[in-house]
Amino acid sequence: MRFVEPYFYERLGLVLVAPKRGLDAIIERKGGGLRDATYLLLFSTLAFRLPDLIRAVLSFQRISLAGGLTQLVGVLGSELRTAGFVVLIAALAITVLAGRERRDPSLGLELGAVCYVPYVCVWSPVRLLDMEALLGYVPGIVSQVVRVVAWGWVVGLVVLSLRRLRQSGDPSPHIVPVRSRAVGLSVLAILALAFTLGTVWSARHYELLRPLGRSDKAPDFVLARVDGQPGNVKLADLRGHVVLLDFWATWCPPCLALLPVLHDLYREWQPRGAEFIGIDSDGPMISRADLQEFLAHRPFPYPVVIDDKEVGGLYGVYSIPHIVVIGRDGKIARVLVGGVSRSHIAAALNAADGSSPQ
């Protein structure tokens, strides 16, 4: 009798409810684990990161091709990084501990990918509650407990995979229990609910997702200086000047690599009526005293202010470096995201300098 492979949701349920049968199916076919992990990664990304994906797509039009790609890669990369870490750790453990006679790196990778299934499923309810459409946050203690449970389940599947490899001559019967179907459908239902909530929230908050781009009025702000000089910087006071806003952080290597370029451009453009503002986006990752010590060793020729992420939110800053160039009329002339060259920044300043005040 020919074996009929279960549907995707049934395979998910098998791993969660009858893991011996799910693992035996992978061992017998010598494949399928990576495929299902990839499906689950794609579905969970769409479900839980839909607003971020929409923002990235809008950035292609509103900012630039490079800006859109930077944000899209950031979203996909963060999800892929987590999946890759879980899968590779599990695969390495299975391959190394299987012993020489049973060591098969490709099969180990397939089985390691299976271990990603419970990891996603344990985190899914928490990520659902963490969505802006619901609670918007999850208490830290809950996240810690879920992390322990998720990794405990991964370890359990690694141990079970090793046992099944040693007993591969005695496979489990190809039967999908009813409860496996129910559990698999429940997992997909959570993802479908998250996708629906993300779609509704995105439709209602389109303007929030829509990144600021050319010709948009630059939002005003007042931020405290942190460079050893007293007082605040108010954007409205700089109307009539070309203004460059540099959102940066001390932990960001591309940001630090860009600083000499910006300092040099400031010395060139300041006599022409341009003003630069360095907006530190470290947040709680660095104390004010440590930031001031950093600036004492690497002084800026223009004001540096500290942002509590409110201004970054106004300007749609979700990755750094993020440079906004504002024309003399108070409207955004260019937005540059990621590592950019001196020529790109100079071109943006020239474009802003050509705008006329209202």
Side-chain angles (χ1 to χ4, degrees), residues 90-101:
L92 182 62
I94 292 170
T95 302
V96 171
L97 299 177
R100 289 185 179 180
E101 295 181 357

Side-chain angles (χ1 to χ4, degrees), residues 9-335:
Y9 72 90
E10 293 176 325
R11 298 196 299 270
L12 291 181
L14 275 177
V15 172
L16 298 173
V17 175
K20 288 183 181 179
R21 295 177 184 176
L23 292 170
D24 283 350
I26 300 296
I27 294 172
E28 183 177 345
R29 297 194 308 270
K30 293 188 179 298
L34 274 174
R35 174 200 57 194
D36 288 348
T38 301
Y39 289 162
L40 196 55
L41 173 64
L42 292 175
F43 292 158
S44 62
T45 301
L46 281 173
F48 298 117
R49 302 297 300 274
L50 182 62
D52 296 326
L53 291 171
I54 292 175
R55 183 183 293 113
V57 171
L58 291 173
S59 295
F60 282 99
Q61 177 186 11
R62 299 291 304 161
I63 299 178
S64 66
L65 176 62
L69 282 174
T70 298
Q71 294 201 29
L72 186 60
V73 169
V75 175
L76 299 178
S78 64
E79 296 293 318
L80 186 59
R81 191 161 48 244
T82 300
F85 183 73
V86 174
V87 171
L88 291 178
I89 289 294
L92 182 62
I94 292 170
T95 302
V96 171
L97 299 177
R100 289 185 179 180
E101 295 181 357
R102 300 179 181 85
R103 187 169 297 158
D104 183 344
S106 62
L107 180 57
L109 187 60
E110 295 286 349
L111 292 171
V114 175
C115 298
Y116 178 62
V117 173
Y119 188 91
V120 171
C121 295
V122 169
W123 274 106
S124 289
V126 178
R127 297 187 72 179
L128 180 65
L129 293 175
D130 195 36
M131 295 178 67
E132 292 291 341
L134 290 180
L135 293 181
Y137 77 96
V138 173
I141 185 64
V142 174
S143 296
Q144 293 297 331
V145 171
V146 170
R147 183 172 289 105
V148 171
V149 172
W151 276 107
W153 206 332
V154 169
V155 171
L157 269 185
V158 168
V159 173
L160 185 58
S161 296
L162 292 170
R163 288 180 179 176
R164 301 315 294 170
L165 283 173
R166 297 187 179 100
Q167 301 169 3
S168 57
D170 181 27
S172 302
H174 299 305
I175 300 174
V176 180
V178 174
R179 66 181 185 278
S180 296
R181 297 188 179 97
V183 170
L185 286 173
S186 298
V187 171
L188 294 185
I190 291 176
L191 298 181
L193 176 59
F195 180 80
T196 302
L197 291 173
T199 301
V200 173
W201 187 91
S202 299
R204 291 179 176 177
H205 299 83
Y206 176 79
E207 288 301 319
L208 184 63
L209 296 178
R210 176 179 173 271
L212 291 175
R214 298 180 187 181
S215 301
D216 286 330
K217 185 177 180 357
D220 192 21
F221 61 82
V222 179
L223 290 175
R225 295 188 66 160
V226 72
D227 53 3
Q229 298 297 321
N232 302 322
V233 172
K234 185 176 182 181
L235 182 62
D237 293 340
L238 301 178
R239 186 66 176 273
H241 296 266
V242 171
V243 180
L244 182 147
L245 307 179
D246 173 33
F247 292 87
W248 69 286
T250 58
W251 51 262
C252 170
C255 300
L256 302 183
L258 202 57
L259 290 181
V261 174
L262 292 174
H263 294 181
D264 188 47
L265 282 170
Y266 175 73
R267 295 185 182 95
E268 177 185 337
W269 276 84
Q270 198 273 337
R272 299 166 60 177
E275 297 293 342
F276 287 22
I277 304 173
I279 303 179
D280 177 76
S281 305
D282 277 291
M285 297 185 67
I286 188 173
S287 68
R288 192 183 185 95
D290 288 340
L291 177 57
Q292 289 175 332
E293 182 179 355
F294 176 90
L295 294 173
H297 288 91
R298 302 184 66 166
F300 283 50
Y302 47 83
V304 179
V305 296
I306 187 167
D307 180 28
D308 59 1
K309 297 194 180 300
E310 180 177 350
V311 174
L314 287 175
Y315 281 84
V317 178
Y318 294 94
S319 62
I320 52 176
H322 188 108
I323 294 174
V324 180
V325 181
I326 304 168
R328 299 182 187 276
D329 56 0
K331 294 182 178 180
I332 295 174
R334 294 286 190 278
V335 178

